[in-house]
Amino acid sequence: MRDRASDAAGETPGRRARGELESGVLAVLWAADRPLTARQVRDGLPGDLAYTTVLTILSRLYDKGMLVRRPEGRGYAYAPARDEASDTAARMRTLLDRGSDREAVLARFVSELSAADEQLLQRLLGGSDPDRPGERT
């Protein structure tokens, strides 16, 4: 018997949401201080995933250009192609580019920021962040 939450979301009970496993794999790799093998990634994920499932996700992320890999043993060790902040910024840019009314999207985004995030954004836009690329100190 299916539960109402699964029916409403159009998901099968017990299945992960689309992209959840890829996000989990990326989180494990971002947290690591070195490239990891598929077995090491699997060990860092919750649950009892099959090795082949993790290998498939790693291969897909590599094919999408989100991972780099190097030979290790009979397989590969994987690392993210870019850091988490750069990846998130690229995803945000992609979503913003999809919208037909850029100003409305940005206005809604800013209106829903927390006070702390709004202050941070104002500081970043004001150029007072020494870590911002291209800024003079």
Side-chain angles (χ1 to χ4, degrees):
M1 182 172 180
R2 298 180 66 174
D3 65 78
R4 292 178 197 262
S6 295
D7 286 340
E11 298 172 2
T12 305
R15 293 195 48 100
R16 289 176 186 79
R18 190 173 140 232
E20 184 180 335
L21 190 50
E22 285 186 0
S23 296
V25 166
L26 284 168
V28 168
L29 290 168
W30 280 320
D33 60 351
R34 60 186 167 76
L36 300 177
T37 65
R39 190 161 312 282
Q40 291 167 325
V41 171
R42 187 189 72 175
D43 292 346
L45 292 167
D48 189 26
L49 292 169
Y51 173 80
T52 54
T53 300
V54 174
L55 196 55
T56 297
I57 295 301
L58 288 166
S59 295
R60 287 180 182 167
L61 290 169
Y62 174 78
D63 290 343
K64 291 178 182 180
M66 298 179 75
L67 300 180
V68 294
R69 68 184 184 193
R70 67 163 203 248
E72 185 163 311
R74 293 181 4 191
Y76 294 100
Y78 295 86
R82 55 186 172 201
D83 63 29
E84 185 176 10
S86 297
D87 183 70
T88 301
R91 289 174 192 245
M92 291 171 68
R93 233 181 351 268
T94 298
L95 289 172
L96 182 60
D97 290 344
R98 281 191 208 160
S100 59
D101 188 347
R102 193 176 195 93
E103 183 176 343
V105 172
L106 285 170
R108 178 64 55 95
F109 176 75
V110 170
S111 73
E112 295 179 9
L113 289 175
S114 68
D117 284 343
E118 187 176 341
Q119 289 176 352
L120 174 60
L121 185 58
Q122 287 176 345
R123 186 177 54 120
L124 291 170
L125 291 172
S128 61
D129 184 8
D131 294 330
R132 185 173 178 203
E135 286 298 317
R136 294 182 186 172
T137 53

